[in-house]
Amino acid sequence: MMISRAPPAPGAVRVRTNALFTGVPRRTLKHSKLSSVNFRVSKHPYTQENRCSGLSSESEPEVNMVSNARATLPSHRVLVASECDIILRGREVGCDTVEISVDLGVSTTTGRLEGDGVRLPDVEGVLAWSDIEMIKGDSNGCFGVRSDGTVERIQMFSESTGRAVSLLPSVESRTPPTALVAGFPMHRFGKGVDPREDTKRKMLSLGRFSQGATVLDICTGLGYTAIAAAEGGALVTTIELDPAMQQMCRMNPWSQGLFTSPRVTQLIGSAVDLVETFPDASFDRILHDPPTFTLAGDLYSLEFYSQLSRLLKPQGKLYHYVGDPDSKAAGRHFQGILRRLRKAGFEGAAIDHDAHGIVAAHKHIDRPKRRPTVSSKTIIIKEGKPSSKDNNPRTNLSKKLDKKSLEKMLYQKSDGDDDEDDDDDFL
């Protein structure tokens, strides 16, 4: 399922994503590989922090409706290190123009190289070479380009949550970015999974749904799952606590479907309060994608899961993002969530390893199958002491576990283990 692409900026053309220089013999240039991502929000001399007002603390849940009228949106010009690398290499070889993307790969446009910088379409000023070199040196930042040619790192501080929020480019260039919330990445990164693939796997967990199906998307984030569900024909209600995150969406070219799609209704407020306002059996699908327990423990509670059970239709399905089920800490976390979901009324609940979450329903649900590239591996366990050639007791084989045995081990529930609070601080 594809993520909606925002309309290209004026003068931009949706063409191939490889960069071409003009002014020299035409040749295709590959994007430079960026350095490993360091998930830290660092202060930068060019950064200006914007503050968002906090939400009301009154007992009645406060909700702000976000208009989805098809108004003219501001131009979303965003530059990252990989695009500035193309510009600088163009200058090195004496190009007149370079073909780059100023909207993170949604479209491409042409920049004209001049003595004091680069001139972009619909930008009155010139983007200075010093700013281009600065962006090139910051592989963890997304930079907005103002109409006068000045730049600003896309980063905010939310007064409602007390957390820093920023856009983080994907490792692979010209793909949707993720967001950092208090230093935690919002989407999976690395190992062949970028935010677009992460969204696809989450949507596959929900299964097919009919046109006009109702979907509740909890924790909008950058809106990728809400947009994908709407493109699949669903009527989506999405809830976001933090106004700063909605501002991130307005500046992210890949999030514009939240504001242009008539199938998406955005609510700004506390999900814990807002779910209580919906009638019983309101939704065919629920997509629950909360931050870590450390940041949002109430979204992992039995009380909250009971509300989700009430809202889900009898034949509906819930997807709950948790984290990597193969990690030691998250493994214990999963078991506690599974127990609470079952107590809340979800008889069927199973781990989806590919989507890093749990699929649940009111009745029995089949355990999601793992992809062949993951599940076909044979785990080898050595009985006895490891040999002198191999100090790893898992790699010398005297006993093999087939896929069926592995799944039995992965989903085995401990007898008499009914404690609820043994998992809540591991993510």
Side-chain angles (χ1 to χ4, degrees):
M1 191 168 293
M2 296 294 292
I3 297 172
S4 176
R5 290 176 177 267
V13 183
R14 283 185 187 167
V15 291
R16 58 198 177 280
T17 58
N18 56 308
L20 295 178
F21 291 157
T22 56
V24 294
R26 294 174 65 84
R27 55 197 176 107
T28 302
L29 296 179
K30 297 181 179 179
H31 296 300
S32 297
K33 292 184 177 180
L34 301 181
S35 59
S36 59
V37 176
N38 177 22
F39 295 123
R40 279 182 12 184
V41 179
S42 56
K43 291 185 178 179
H44 197 281
Y46 289 82
T47 298
Q48 293 182 6
E49 289 187 343
N50 300 310
R51 294 181 177 269
C52 296
S53 60
L55 297 175
S56 170
S57 59
E58 297 177 3
S59 58
E60 289 296 323
E62 179 171 319
V63 55
N64 295 322
M65 297 289 293
V66 180
S67 173
N68 283 342
R70 292 181 175 273
T72 302
L73 294 170
S75 178
H76 303 280
R77 293 180 292 263
V78 180
L79 271 178
V80 292
S82 57
E83 301 298 333
C84 289
D85 179 64
I86 294 170
I87 295 172
L88 292 171
R89 285 192 288 156
R91 181 178 66 170
E92 288 177 4
V93 297
C95 296
D96 298 323
T97 61
V98 290
E99 185 179 288
I100 57 172
S101 176
V102 292
D103 52 19
L104 301 176
V106 174
S107 64
T108 56
T109 190
T110 300
R112 181 170 298 279
L113 277 60
E114 300 181 356
D116 52 354
V118 177
R119 190 171 296 277
L120 299 173
D122 302 307
V123 177
E124 297 176 2
V126 175
L127 184 60
W129 289 116
S130 58
D131 285 343
I132 295 171
E133 291 167 353
M134 177 271 296
I135 297 173
K136 170 62 172 62
D138 186 354
S139 60
N140 293 344
C142 292
F143 290 78
V145 182
R146 299 190 186 93
S147 59
D148 62 358
T150 59
V151 300
E152 177 183 356
R153 203 173 197 268
I154 300 177
Q155 175 171 298
M156 295 181 182
F157 180 83
S158 171
E159 291 184 349
S160 64
T161 63
R163 302 167 190 157
V165 183
S166 63
L167 281 184
L168 177 70
S170 293
V171 175
E172 182 182 352
S173 60
R174 298 191 179 179
T175 54
T178 189
L180 285 181
V181 181
F184 291 94
M186 186 171 286
H187 301 89
R188 293 165 61 185
F189 253 66
K191 297 183 180 179
V193 181
D194 60 17
R196 181 161 41 189
E197 177 66 18
D198 181 53
T199 299
K200 178 181 177 181
R201 295 186 183 189
K202 291 172 181 176
M203 297 307 300
L204 287 173
S205 286
L206 286 179
R208 295 183 179 180
F209 46 78
S210 60
Q211 290 283 325
T214 51
V215 174
L216 176 62
D217 177 51
I218 301 170
C219 301
T220 308
L222 293 177
Y224 298 155
T225 50
I227 295 169
E231 286 205 339
L235 300 175
V236 183
T237 300
T238 182
I239 301 173
E240 175 57 50
L241 170 66
D242 192 358
M245 185 55 66
Q246 194 204 37
Q247 288 298 103
M248 288 286 109
C249 291
R250 291 191 180 277
M251 290 183 281
N252 177 18
W254 290 88
S255 299
Q256 297 314 300
L258 287 173
F259 310 100
T260 60
S261 174
R263 293 179 173 271
V264 178
T265 300
Q266 296 186 68
L267 304 179
I268 304 297
S270 166
V272 174
D273 296 331
L274 290 175
V275 294
E276 296 180 358
T277 67
F278 296 113
D280 294 354
S282 294
F283 299 99
D284 296 288
R285 298 287 188 273
I286 297 177
L287 198 151
H288 183 36
D289 193 358
T292 64
F293 181 87
T294 304
L295 298 180
D298 50 357
L299 297 182
Y300 293 80
S301 67
L302 174 61
E303 293 75 18
F304 187 73
Y305 294 158
S306 297
Q307 286 292 334
L308 300 188
S309 177
R310 179 183 65 82
L311 297 181
L312 189 66
K313 293 182 180 181
Q315 303 301 320
K317 187 181 290 187
L318 163 77
Y319 167 77
H320 183 334
Y321 176 79
V322 182
D324 185 358
D326 293 326
S327 70
K328 183 177 179 181
R332 293 182 60 188
H333 199 74
F334 269 88
Q335 293 307 313
I337 292 173
L338 285 169
R339 285 193 297 273
R340 290 194 291 277
L341 285 172
R342 290 173 182 135
K343 287 184 178 180
F346 293 99
E347 274 185 38
I351 298 174
D352 188 330
H353 285 259
D354 288 336
H356 280 197
I358 293 172
V359 183
H362 289 302
K363 297 182 179 180
H364 172 78
I365 191 169
D366 293 331
R367 291 170 180 168
K369 295 181 180 179
R370 302 186 71 174
R371 294 189 177 188
T373 54
V374 177
S375 61
S376 61
K377 293 181 180 179
T378 301
I379 293 181
I380 301 172
I381 299 177
K382 176 180 172 59
E383 293 179 335
K385 296 181 180 180
S387 67
S388 58
K389 295 182 180 180
D390 189 348
N391 293 325
N392 187 346
R394 292 183 179 273
T395 55
N396 279 329
L397 176 63
S398 57
K399 181 179 180 181
K400 292 186 179 179
L401 299 176
D402 59 19
K403 181 180 177 182
K404 187 174 182 181
S405 299
L406 281 173
E407 288 183 344
K408 185 177 180 181
M409 291 176 62
L410 289 170
Y411 292 103
Q412 185 176 10
K413 183 178 178 183
S414 300
D415 294 332
D417 186 9
D418 292 325
D419 294 335
E420 288 189 28
D421 299 323
D422 62 349
D423 63 307
D424 290 335
D425 278 318
F426 288 87
L427 290 187

